[in-house]
Amino acid sequence: MDNSEIKRILKSVKTGTMTVNSALDSLKHLPYEDIGFARIDHHRTLRQGIPEVIFAKDKKLKDIIAIADSMLKKNSKLLITKTTKDIYKDISLLCKQYNKKVRFYERSGVITVAEAQKKTGMVVVLCAGTSDVPVAEETLVTASFLGSKAEIISDVGVAGLHRLIDAEKIFTRARVLVVIAGMEGALPSVVGGMTDKPIIAVPTSAGYGTSLGGLTALFAMLNSCVPGIAVMNIDNGFGAGVLAHRINTL
Amino acid sequence: MDNSEIKRILKSVKTGTMTVNSALDSLKHLPYEDIGFARIDHHRTLRQGIPEVIFAKDKKLKDIIAIADSMLKKNSKLLITKTTKDIYKDISLLCKQYNKKVRFYERSGVITVAEAQKKTGMVVVLCAGTSDVPVAEETLVTASFLGSKAEIISDVGVAGLHRLIDAEKIFTRARVLVVIAGMEGALPSVVGGMTDKPIIAVPTSAGYGTSLGGLTALFAMLNSCVPGIAVMNIDNGFGAGVLAHRINTL
Amino acid sequence: MDNSEIKRILKSVKTGTMTVNSALDSLKHLPYEDIGFARIDHHRTLRQGIPEVIFAKDKKLKDIIAIADSMLKKNSKLLITKTTKDIYKDISLLCKQYNKKVRFYERSGVITVAEAQKKTGMVVVLCAGTSDVPVAEETLVTASFLGSKAEIISDVGVAGLHRLIDAEKIFTRARVLVVIAGMEGALPSVVGGMTDKPIIAVPTSAGYGTSLGGLTALFAMLNSCVPGIAVMNIDNGFGAGVLAHRINTL
Amino acid sequence: MDNSEIKRILKSVKTGTMTVNSALDSLKHLPYEDIGFARIDHHRTLRQGIPEVIFAKDKKLKDIIAIADSMLKKNSKLLITKTTKDIYKDISLLCKQYNKKVRFYERSGVITVAEAQKKTGMVVVLCAGTSDVPVAEETLVTASFLGSKAEIISDVGVAGLHRLIDAEKIFTRARVLVVIAGMEGALPSVVGGMTDKPIIAVPTSAGYGTSLGGLTALFAMLNSCVPGIAVMNIDNGFGAGVLAHRINTL
Amino acid sequence: MDNSEIKRILKSVKTGTMTVNSALDSLKHLPYEDIGFARIDHHRTLRQGIPEVIFAKDKKLKDIIAIADSMLKKNSKLLITKTTKDIYKDISLLCKQYNKKVRFYERSGVITVAEAQKKTGMVVVLCAGTSDVPVAEETLVTASFLGSKAEIISDVGVAGLHRLIDAEKIFTRARVLVVIAGMEGALPSVVGGMTDKPIIAVPTSAGYGTSLGGLTALFAMLNSCVPGIAVMNIDNGFGAGVLAHRINTL
Amino acid sequence: MDNSEIKRILKSVKTGTMTVNSALDSLKHLPYEDIGFARIDHHRTLRQGIPEVIFAKDKKLKDIIAIADSMLKKNSKLLITKTTKDIYKDISLLCKQYNKKVRFYERSGVITVAEAQKKTGMVVVLCAGTSDVPVAEETLVTASFLGSKAEIISDVGVAGLHRLIDAEKIFTRARVLVVIAGMEGALPSVVGGMTDKPIIAVPTSAGYGTSLGGLTALFAMLNSCVPGIAVMNIDNGFGAGVLAHRINTL
Amino acid sequence: MDNSEIKRILKSVKTGTMTVNSALDSLKHLPYEDIGFARIDHHRTLRQGIPEVIFAKDKKLKDIIAIADSMLKKNSKLLITKTTKDIYKDISLLCKQYNKKVRFYERSGVITVAEAQKKTGMVVVLCAGTSDVPVAEETLVTASFLGSKAEIISDVGVAGLHRLIDAEKIFTRARVLVVIAGMEGALPSVVGGMTDKPIIAVPTSAGYGTSLGGLTALFAMLNSCVPGIAVMNIDNGFGAGVLAHRINTL
Amino acid sequence: MDNSEIKRILKSVKTGTMTVNSALDSLKHLPYEDIGFARIDHHRTLRQGIPEVIFAKDKKLKDIIAIADSMLKKNSKLLITKTTKDIYKDISLLCKQYNKKVRFYERSGVITVAEAQKKTGMVVVLCAGTSDVPVAEETLVTASFLGSKAEIISDVGVAGLHRLIDAEKIFTRARVLVVIAGMEGALPSVVGGMTDKPIIAVPTSAGYGTSLGGLTALFAMLNSCVPGIAVMNIDNGFGAGVLAHRINTL
């Protein structure tokens, strides 16, 4: 439920094509819907510009289905992150009931239900190594789901600068850059030295030993000698996609 | 030295008002100037959109003065962060030689040398407690120095939500929000629930014991339940100002 | 074995309805019962106001059964925390032998054996997200088992303040609040700004990356800018239930 | 400004002894007062049961004085924590202007301005070693300032259990216990085994090496094998005083 | 191979009951035996007073068997720690070949091959909770294997001091105490206040959340306010058994 | 593709035995080959002296096969680290297609495809315990694959100095030493006191409790009282092999 | 006040040379003396074998003097650790009043007041580097104060094994070894491989960067591959002296 | 005292120009000289290829002077690291007595006493920022003192890649590279992608907040995606100089 739908309801009331009572009915789920263990925030789009999204990792399957069911009743779009193939199967069955098209992105475990929409601007996602691709895909799908044009340039880590320099032609076309890296997390600094675009850095948990599950990349990015690089939580491709979309559509 | 100056030089050459040799002289410092212990990157504005800035904290006074001197020779603007009153005094004397107006921001320790310029857009800096004001000032001065309109709303921590709700009217005028907090670092999450603007969060080292010098606020911000909040290093008001300016002027 | 049972024994001796020898027999397990690998503290209620409770997580199944067996012989009540469905099955069989009614709380893994009792006061458990519900249930069941009225308000995280503001009407009815949150752990601070009740905060391990298994939420809560919030160990819903009950029944 | 004062104002309006305009004047500072770098929350007592308190550690002297000045204009009471002798001198001068009696607690660095009031209940503060006394004093003064009777029992660490067992007679008179310890932080567990009162534990930074500035005591307290012990931030005697007062006056 | 065996060999040579060549053969494995991936230190008893012991945790099954095989050829005794039931099965088969009696301690996973021997002194192992029993058993078996009398007193945690005070009569009979605890690790401090015996403290990994896998108990023990308590690595019951034996047999 | 192959191509062009077009074809993969999720750096040997290597740990099986396939098409050699038996099976099948001999090192999980070559110099790998052998093998195989003579001396930990002193005769033949140890990581310091060769230290994750997954050994090595010991990431036998080879072939 | 003094008192009562009342007077300080902020445990020697000792680091000068004064009234001996020259001056004046001889150990900051006594056994303190000498001195003075013969062998770090091997002749004369080292903390392991004596290891804070204030040495010692080494807190020479004395006098 | 001096002595004995007794005198200090608190290792050069060096940071001034005095008596060279101007003054006076030329490097605090010598090979020290210059100077002076040609290229951080690419011409002349950086520590990775030389990386403590005193740079360097980079302790320019010299002179 987004701004345009609400406007449509209000116009219908104004023009008399909808009774006040049925409009009330449509709007009453606005604050949130209480389904016992969860309160679903159907009008989050109004407030935050993006709909409520299901983060699947810490949730039980039946809870995910219940929340998705409540959302699909009221919304045309749905995004679920950090899922597995098993969750996808059940969501897929649910979507059949609502006659909605669902898509599963296997590397990142993202599930989307979305209608065709016009994409604007350009978010470029730079990805240091092949191990970082799942996080990059999460960013790409999120930004795209929200309405941004988006593109991945993968495997441009600092060990082979010429690959990155070749990519420069592409990423100068971006309005905002998301730079994703694990291990020593050096890519955002090097990209930062080559551009005047806003950069969002995402550390990944790729690596072993002193990579400390991504903390090393995170801290490296926070300490970049290039000013103006902002950092997301480890493996948080979704959050980067949201912020990139917001900046891209300013 | 920014884009317009370089264009001016090139036009002067084209129109014959400047000889090729004297133009060469003006441009030869473009790559960087080697002053022994430092290589000054005079054309950083061309590449990154912002000039090279002096971070004073880990540098010796005489090195700061030498770098500032080299910069003032080539540029009309200068920004020095994390300084002290003693550094300000010496920079002040130096600026007299170049007949430049210098300003010292005491709470944050920022020094600026800048000419009047037109400011655009709007960066709003929200600040949780009075202990966080120095970092907020660093952000404000940086964004403003780079050409953005900017404003601080201070002491709107989550312990008194009504102060924050009052501030909402103001921060809806912003194109980008910078939210600064120490201790538990909760303010970005609460602000994030009230807006659809891009948010840059800056943790500060205010607090004691388990505030861990700002790590607690940092980690809290990275884990925000509101998606799309990006985080800077602890006390890095400068970096937040740079990124806010870039987003604000997209 | 609680105060009233001991008084009953002593009165029976006084009135002659029980011989000194049989009273001695009943009381001799008071200090503790040594069952080899464990010393069961049957009279803990006398000293600490709550009976000894079995923490199942680090114990072997056969040890849990042996301790439960020893307890059920002397007590009418039993509480086991952090169990699994398998443990429940065996405890269930054991309870049949003692003809006791047992209940299993699946989300939290708590097992209770208890008789009907009058509940007093009001403990309200506020829970930030659906991933925190298991911990909240552990608190609720514990406080209720000990004799307190208790209620959960779930999914009132700070990303949607209106949900929390709606809940305010309910939690003003409480004598003590337990506030449970993972990720950035901001909910206790925000609730703390809205109430003058004692608040017990419980961080949960919900989250990923820099949530550090709940350490981030823990440290955030310890650093709350709202004074007077006390904090439990990560995921320690049981401890929060005990303390809430003690405060509630002052 | 607390509830009774506001009631008095409203009654005066009702009975006509105060004009609406002058009542308005008295109440208009209710939300907060904006003094530039700070927004002072004069009606915090109404919401949270305790007045706004000045935490001096991270603030500049002139800011502390400005906030204290604003508060003394509206309130009869004032509490400032983590101060130094120098701050006390300036606050002392300020209080002379307002003809208020000020008191400085040297071990803890607490400053109070308060009128005589009736104290209720009983908060007992147990303190493990002589190095923990400053934090204990902060708790005592805070609880007392807010209206609770309070008492310290110092130097009852677990190395000499007989000292603690002697103290038991005293602390059974308490409604709530605050237990303060540095180093290994074992005292709350041992006290917890001897009582059924609510316990608030405060770790201190006393110790060296692996005491990790109090983190060891903090973690030990969070892991107490005695259930129902809640923990404050390191050295946070003030917070413990607030919570103890709230519980004590339930 | 210990001192007495070597003396016997040398005496046999002296009295002529053994040829120089066959004595040489017996002694040649003294320095160590190289079996490719390992160099087995058969004469460690001579140097360090205890034989080489197999730590099974990080080794492959076939390597454990190969080392055990090499040892059983030269020694009458064998100790393997941190094993599983599967390892025990294979070691059991190997011992049959050498016609040696083997014993498996299931809680701790220790395997011993030993002949009857006279035990001396007294090592008392105090154990805070039932979850700590596996580590206590490892200590007991190790000290006993090396020749010390040893005894466990389990479940005497500080939550029920009376259990510990009862145990005092027993542990005053000890020459050295080993005190084992997880969670907050307070037991060594409390025991330390009751005795003048040497105390070896062993933290265990029992607990969750901020127990940090035993680091909290470790740091608490290192910070004991009772002087003279030495600490072993987390869960290192074996090391404690070795040191207790050395002190016990001084 | 290494220097000699490129020279051969260029000579063929010079002598006319190869057309410019077919030479172009051969060289065009020089920069890198884009296979979608990865950009394979075929000419890394030219730049860094060693070919691109596949780190299998964070990659999906089908990605590993795709990258290996691309490499085998252009190179005669291939090195894959941190693999499993399953990966080996599929790589083995792939190599059959290319008619290449593949070898699997089971302890370390390294896979090599290599032609016979002359080895030079001498790298000696010293290994503290049998648990460290997998990392030592990774170093040995890497150095050998790159063209260095290499040898392992295993199980020479500091608990039995005589084993190490015996090994001294061997390691004085080395041009460079790699010293591998887990637990307390003391071996590099002791070896460092006995030699004037360059030493590369590699900490391993062998140990438990406070070994902190190898961090303890790492930090110990970084703090060696013997100057001039450089340290690799935990378990990074491959990196040590690369550096040892570079130093060995200077 | 130790066992022999109490026996003397009791014998005097028995033989009539002391009245019951005056004996009572002498004994009444036995439990402890309450001097307000501290409870002095005059009979600690009876319980723990060592007298109460003043740890000066976290205490105010006037508190140290007050405690020392209370102790000197009842005891003939006094030990104060972690002092400064300033504290020594004041204690020196105090001792003059009691006509007691005081001694200050400048490197370690230990102050002792003691009478001539016969020393027994032998504690040898091995010290890795000259920076560790202050901690070694604290151990030596403590063990000696308590009645043990004690000796330091300094600067025998593992970088020069021959120095350690020379020292071996001396330390085989010990009943117990204390091994002190900072930086990588390797000395206890190497010594442990050369002896069958009990070893107490003490990490020091000597070093920089990743020495982490002594945590690296501490963790290394806890992970020693030589079994049976127990570890004290960082820089805790006093505790090591106490434990060494206890073991030495078994 | 190095190999050539010893050979000279032995030859003098052989040729009769030195008596056996006076040769004995010259050699008797070979093992080490015991000066009480220190054992000076005069023949370290023989064993480790570099002389014993004084690390001044944790030592008292009078101890430094005593050790230096003992060394100057036996050696013609002396290196002291991490000193201050005050130490330099006293060493300067001492050197006058021995008629030796001393030099003080102010940025790094290194003191050298050395004779003219022929330098060989080439060590290039790359330095990311001006704040890292002190550590770079320590490396340069150490390598040079030991006999290597050495050169610094400063301020070539990754924020301005063109500065680094210019420097490439210079560092290809090196036999070994030392790369020094603080903050995010990215420079070694980027340099590593441009060269086939051995690289020694040195993290510095430059930075603030999450730079964690250099741990972030350290961990980033250990996790470099470029294989074969070895890392030193934070700020350990001396160690890097030693290792670089050893590699350079192979």
Side-chain angles (χ1 to χ4, degrees), chain H residues 1-73:
Chain H
M1 182 171 286
D2 59 20
N3 272 335
S4 59
E5 280 190 61
I6 296 171
K7 279 186 186 156
R8 195 184 43 76
I9 292 170
L10 297 175
K11 278 180 188 162
S12 303
V13 173
K14 201 178 168 190
T15 58
T17 58
M18 190 184 238
T19 66
V20 168
N21 277 355
S22 79
L24 200 68
D25 221 40
S26 301
L27 288 169
K28 80 178 167 192
H29 281 294
L30 261 188
Y32 53 83
E33 182 185 10
D34 189 342
I35 60 167
F37 65 92
R39 274 152 222 266
I40 298 157
D41 196 356
H42 293 299
H43 74 148
R44 189 162 285 185
T45 304
L46 289 179
R47 243 177 32 248
Q48 297 179 19
I50 58 154
E52 184 154 6
V53 167
I54 306 176
F55 171 67
K57 190 180 147 281
D58 287 324
K59 295 197 180 63
K60 292 176 195 255
L61 179 54
K62 68 176 186 184
D63 291 353
I64 296 167
I65 300 301
I67 300 173
D69 188 47
S70 158
M71 283 177 163
L72 286 172
K73 275 192 192 108

Side-chain angles (χ1 to χ4, degrees), chain D residues 184 189 210-211 216 220 223 225, chain E residues 184 189 210-211 216 219-220 223 225:
Chain D
E184 81 271 56
S189 290
T210 52
S211 79
T216 291
N223 281 282
C225 58
Chain E
E184 82 270 56
S189 289
T210 52
S211 78
T216 291
F219 285 142
N223 281 281
C225 57

Side-chain angles (χ1 to χ4, degrees), chain F residues 129-141:
Chain F
T130 53
S131 311
D132 306 318
V133 168
V135 178
E137 191 185 83
E138 195 180 277
T139 302
L140 185 93
V141 174

Side-chain angles (χ1 to χ4, degrees), chain E residues 156-175:
Chain E
V156 288
V158 300
L161 279 183
H162 54 304
R163 298 181 298 193
L164 184 61
I165 289 165
D166 284 6
E168 197 176 6
K169 301 160 224 163
I170 305 173
F171 68 68
T172 50
R173 296 190 338 238
R175 271 174 69 82

Side-chain angles (χ1 to χ4, degrees), chain A residues 182-185 206-212 216-217 220, chain F residues 200-203 214-215 217-222 229-240, chain G residues 210, chain H residues 184-186 188-189 200-203 214-234:
Chain A
M183 301 179 86
E184 82 270 55
Y208 64 99
T210 52
S211 79
L212 301 175
T216 291
Chain F
I200 304 164
V202 188
L215 281 174
L218 170 77
F219 285 142
M221 289 167 175
L222 287 167
I229 294 176
V231 187
M232 308 306 295
N233 193 7
I234 297 162
D235 291 335
N236 188 4
F238 164 64
Chain G
T210 52
Chain H
E184 82 270 56
S189 290
I200 304 165
V202 189
L215 281 174
T216 291
L218 170 78
F219 284 141
M221 289 167 175
L222 286 167
N223 281 281
S224 177
C225 59
V226 176
I229 294 175
V231 186
M232 309 305 295
N233 192 8
I234 298 161

Side-chain angles (χ1 to χ4, degrees), chain A residues 154-229:
Chain A
S154 67
D155 208 10
V156 287
V158 300
L161 278 183
H162 55 302
R163 297 181 299 194
L164 183 62
I165 289 164
D166 283 6
E168 196 175 7
K169 301 159 224 163
I170 304 173
F171 67 68
T172 50
R173 297 192 335 238
R175 270 174 69 81
V176 55
L177 295 171
V178 178
V179 185
I180 294 173
M183 301 179 86
E184 82 270 55
L187 189 57
S189 290
V190 175
V191 171
M194 298 162 73
T195 185
D196 60 357
K197 313 284 180 191
I199 292 176
I200 304 165
V202 188
T204 75
S205 51
Y208 64 99
T210 52
S211 79
L212 301 175
L215 281 174
T216 291
L218 171 77
F219 285 141
M221 290 168 175
L222 286 167
N223 281 282
S224 178
C225 58
V226 176
I229 295 176

Side-chain angles (χ1 to χ4, degrees), chain D residues 157-161 164-165 182-186 189-190 192-194 206-212 216 219-226, chain E residues 157-161 164-165 182-186 189-190 192-194 206-212 216 219-226:
Chain D
V158 300
L161 278 184
L164 183 62
I165 288 165
M183 303 178 86
E184 81 271 56
S189 290
V190 175
M194 298 163 72
Y208 63 98
T210 52
S211 79
L212 302 175
T216 291
F219 284 143
M221 290 168 175
L222 286 167
N223 281 282
S224 178
C225 58
V226 176
Chain E
V158 300
L161 279 183
L164 184 61
I165 289 165
M183 303 177 86
E184 82 270 56
S189 289
V190 175
M194 299 163 71
Y208 64 99
T210 52
S211 78
L212 302 175
T216 291
F219 285 142
M221 290 168 174
L222 287 166
N223 281 281
S224 178
C225 57
V226 176

Side-chain angles (χ1 to χ4, degrees), chain H:
Chain H
M1 182 171 286
D2 59 20
N3 272 335
S4 59
E5 280 190 61
I6 296 171
K7 279 186 186 156
R8 195 184 43 76
I9 292 170
L10 297 175
K11 278 180 188 162
S12 303
V13 173
K14 201 178 168 190
T15 58
T17 58
M18 190 184 238
T19 66
V20 168
N21 277 355
S22 79
L24 200 68
D25 221 40
S26 301
L27 288 169
K28 80 178 167 192
H29 281 294
L30 261 188
Y32 53 83
E33 182 185 10
D34 189 342
I35 60 167
F37 65 92
R39 274 152 222 266
I40 298 157
D41 196 356
H42 293 299
H43 74 148
R44 189 162 285 185
T45 304
L46 289 179
R47 243 177 32 248
Q48 297 179 19
I50 58 154
E52 184 154 6
V53 167
I54 306 176
F55 171 67
K57 190 180 147 281
D58 287 324
K59 295 197 180 63
K60 292 176 195 255
L61 179 54
K62 68 176 186 184
D63 291 353
I64 296 167
I65 300 301
I67 300 173
D69 188 47
S70 158
M71 283 177 163
L72 286 172
K73 275 192 192 108
K74 312 282 168 204
N75 299 279
S76 54
K77 297 176 71 177
L78 178 66
L79 181 68
I80 317 181
T81 63
K82 311 275 182 207
T83 71
T84 59
K85 226 166 187 172
D86 284 344
I87 295 172
Y88 169 62
K89 276 180 201 154
D90 283 24
I91 291 291
S92 193
L93 291 175
L94 182 76
C95 286
K96 243 176 217 161
Q97 293 173 26
Y98 287 97
N99 205 19
K100 297 247 161 102
K101 252 176 68 181
V102 62
R103 187 159 169 201
F104 180 54
Y105 296 83
E106 199 175 348
R107 279 182 197 270
S108 56
V110 175
I111 294 170
T112 58
V113 177
E115 293 168 339
Q117 67 181 127
K118 226 187 117 186
K119 308 284 165 71
T120 61
M122 176 53 70
V123 173
V124 170
V125 183
L126 288 155
C127 176
T130 53
S131 311
D132 307 317
V133 169
V135 178
E137 190 184 84
E138 193 180 278
T139 301
L140 184 93
V141 174
T142 300
S144 182
F145 173 87
L146 295 172
S148 286
K149 271 189 210 149
E151 210 169 298
I152 287 184
I153 306 174
S154 66
D155 208 10
V156 287
V158 300
L161 278 183
H162 54 304
R163 299 181 297 192
L164 183 62
I165 289 164
D166 283 7
E168 196 175 7
K169 301 159 223 162
I170 304 173
F171 67 68
T172 51
R173 295 192 336 239
R175 271 174 68 80
V176 55
L177 295 171
V178 178
V179 185
I180 294 173
M183 301 178 85
E184 82 270 56
L187 188 59
S189 290
V190 174
V191 171
M194 298 162 71
T195 185
D196 61 355
K197 312 284 180 192
I199 293 176
I200 304 165
V202 189
T204 74
S205 51
Y208 64 98
T210 51
S211 79
L212 302 174
L215 281 174
T216 291
L218 170 78
F219 284 141
M221 289 167 175
L222 286 167
N223 281 281
S224 177
C225 59
V226 176
I229 294 175
V231 186
M232 309 305 295
N233 192 8
I234 298 161
D235 290 336
N236 188 4
F238 165 64
V242 170
L243 181 56
H245 169 72
R246 281 188 178 162
I247 296 173
N248 183 42
T249 55
L250 269 185

